[in-house]
Amino acid sequence: MSADQSKASSSASSSPQEPPQPPAVAHYPPAAYGGHYPPPGPYPPPFYAYPVPDPSHHDPNNPNGAPSQSVAPFFMAVPPPPPGMVYAYPVPPTAPGYPFAPGMPAPQPPPKPKRKQVKMACTNCASACKRCDEARPCERCIKYGLAETCVDGVRKERKKGIKRGPYKRKNRATSGEGSAEGGEATNEQPAAVPPPPAGYPMPPEGYSFPYVYPPPMGYVPAAPDGQPHPEGANGAPPAMHHPFYPSYPAMYPTPYGYPGGPMPYPPLIPTPIAASPNGTAKPDSASAPPTANGASVSADAGKGKKRSRAKNGEESGRASKKTKEAAQVDVQQQPPNGDSGVAGVDQLEKDQHPPPQPQQPPPPSYAGHVDPSTGSGPVAAFGGPEPRPLMAAM
DNA sequence: TCGGTCGGACTTTAAACGAT
DNA sequence: TCGTTTAAAGTCCGACCGAG
Ligand SMILES: [Zn+2]
Ligand SMILES: [Zn+2]
């Protein structure tokens, strides 16, 4: 189940902080992020783990208007690394994505890339359950003119004192390693992947793909003809705009949290390029591309979720999702109006918190995921600048 | 058709455990 | 004290559906 996965991931990310890695990570194509990435500010560029921005819509950034990569490039041969890149690992013949011979069994689809979340979504995004980013104001808030209310929420403190049963020790290679049975983790041991060269981070656990690391600082790739690089003065390689690479796979969103995340198929990490060739700002819908919206062709369509929707106000999932929380009466910030309505909270919210900037585009009328049960009401999506427990709003 | 809503899968984080 | 395990807390994908 997902439990396994989540377990795996959690254990893999046991270190709270991402190791300080060279920031030379290719940024997620601006397609979904309105082009201006990385965001200004002290934040490190976030990493994105999405394999394909949006399989269903054509990538506006694609110089050629080439069809966007909607299909996973499983079958593509590994392209030569573009200038400024280095394949850190050879491609193991068994690695998914490696060209396979006609007789060979079809390659397994690459493991689903991990979703990368921002550490803290802004209240607006959180309430709308939309993707946020590290910048403040975030992309989405900017789009909706909510920049002013784009603030981090306040992470609710974790409950303490909760007793737990004894832990099940995951037999770690104690005494050799003959503890295979049951040890689900055992077979996840990264194969014998050669360690990356000094100066490079280890590939994320479980990924033996050919990693492509950006050249180390100061590394100046030799010119094709073997001559010293023309502009390589002071060891600083010239800004490498790599030529136009066919959207595939060079445009492939590489990041994957490079320092820690898995690498999707053609794991190329382009050298940090100036933002985006033509950072076309794309509406938030990072997740739900406007075009595809409903019919969004998802990378993992198989995931399909069904849902019988309850009108808001009714007891709907949101509420149920919060039941735990509701159970302990999260009255941290009950709105003054003690009996926060249950039905029509949205409307209410909208009425009481008109968008601060009427001149803005489509005022997001979302009132946030209301929690009728707690009555904490919809998050003042664009009303209250003061931070609040996020979940209280969802 | 577009764009907002929200169910629920998934990720992150930190407290509890347990070994040393 | 430190590494591991576990689950609470939080993020956000993507189906669904109302409005235009
Ligand atoms: Zn946001
Ligand atoms: Zn925001």
Side-chain angles (χ1 to χ4, degrees):
Chain A
M1 296 239 192
S2 59
D4 289 347
Q5 191 192 354
S6 106
K7 237 178 275 178
S9 67
S10 67
S11 59
S13 62
S14 56
S15 69
Q17 243 69 10
E18 283 180 79
Q21 298 291 353
V25 194
H27 299 142
Y28 187 76
Y33 277 89
H36 26 291
Y37 239 90
Y43 321 94
F47 300 120
Y48 293 94
Y50 301 102
V52 178
D54 172 21
S56 68
H57 82 288
H58 141 264
D59 179 3
N61 291 308
N62 197 327
N64 267 7
S68 71
Q69 49 281 59
S70 50
V71 290
F74 302 165
F75 315 113
M76 296 192 57
V78 176
M85 300 179 137
V86 179
Y87 273 118
Y89 297 95
V91 180
T94 53
Y98 194 78
F100 59 102
M104 295 173 70
Q108 311 275 344
K112 191 181 172 190
K114 262 180 82 170
R115 195 169 79 193
K116 190 72 179 164
Q117 301 181 173
V118 293
K119 286 225 182 332
M120 178 61 80
C122 72
T123 55
N124 296 332
C125 293
S127 58
C129 291
K130 292 295 182 190
R131 173 166 273 282
C132 190
D133 57 57
E134 309 278 359
R136 290 290 175 273
C138 68
E139 195 68 38
R140 188 168 173 281
C141 285
I142 292 174
K143 176 195 169 194
Y144 289 113
L146 302 174
E148 293 166 38
T149 59
C150 181
V151 296
D152 280 344
V154 176
R155 185 170 269 265
K156 204 169 151 192
E157 198 161 330
R158 196 187 178 85
K159 284 182 284 192
K160 292 184 182 176
I162 296 185
K163 281 295 175 186
R164 300 173 158 181
Y167 287 172
K168 308 178 186 84
R169 274 327 240 187
K170 277 187 178 171
N171 33 20
R172 280 228 164 272
T174 39
S175 73
E177 76 113 81
S179 52
E181 37 95 272
E184 19 129 37
T186 32
N187 58 5
E188 290 186 37
Q189 287 307 311
V193 180
Y200 291 109
M202 288 292 294
E205 198 174 320
Y207 289 85
S208 55
F209 287 8
Y211 262 70
V212 176
Y213 295 102
M217 290 307 220
Y219 165 73
V220 180
D225 49 15
Q227 297 177 5
H229 207 288
E231 300 136 88
N234 345 332
M240 283 184 265
H241 298 295
H242 43 212
F244 158 53
Y245 288 109
S247 74
Y248 244 115
M251 296 288 282
Y252 212 65
T254 56
Y256 266 110
Y258 159 55
M263 211 60 160
Y265 164 69
L268 300 179
I269 294 188
T271 46
I273 319 172
S276 98
N278 83 32
T280 323
K282 223 184 125 247
D284 127 90
S285 319
S287 47
T291 49
N293 52 28
S296 52
V297 183
S298 61
D300 60 315
K303 187 172 152 192
K305 290 178 251 179
K306 271 298 169 194
R307 83 195 232 225
S308 53
R309 202 189 182 106
K311 280 293 187 183
N312 63 23
E314 296 175 25
E315 207 199 335
S316 59
R318 253 323 147 199
S320 67
K321 179 177 183 175
K322 302 193 38 121
T323 47
K324 306 172 246 173
E325 182 174 312
Q328 54 171 15
V329 191
D330 191 355
V331 199
Q332 300 185 33
Q333 290 208 322
Q334 277 289 12
N337 58 338
D339 127 70
S340 52
V342 173
V345 240
D346 300 51
Q347 254 338 106
L348 229 174
E349 174 62 18
K350 272 184 265 186
D351 292 343
Q352 298 184 335
H353 300 278
Q357 299 160 22
Q359 88 270 36
Q360 294 309 331
S365 53
Y366 66 77
H369 290 170
V370 182
D371 178 11
S373 62
T374 61
S376 53
V379 116
F382 13 86
E386 97 251 66
R388 66 186 77 59
L390 290 180
M391 287 315 272
M394 296 182 71

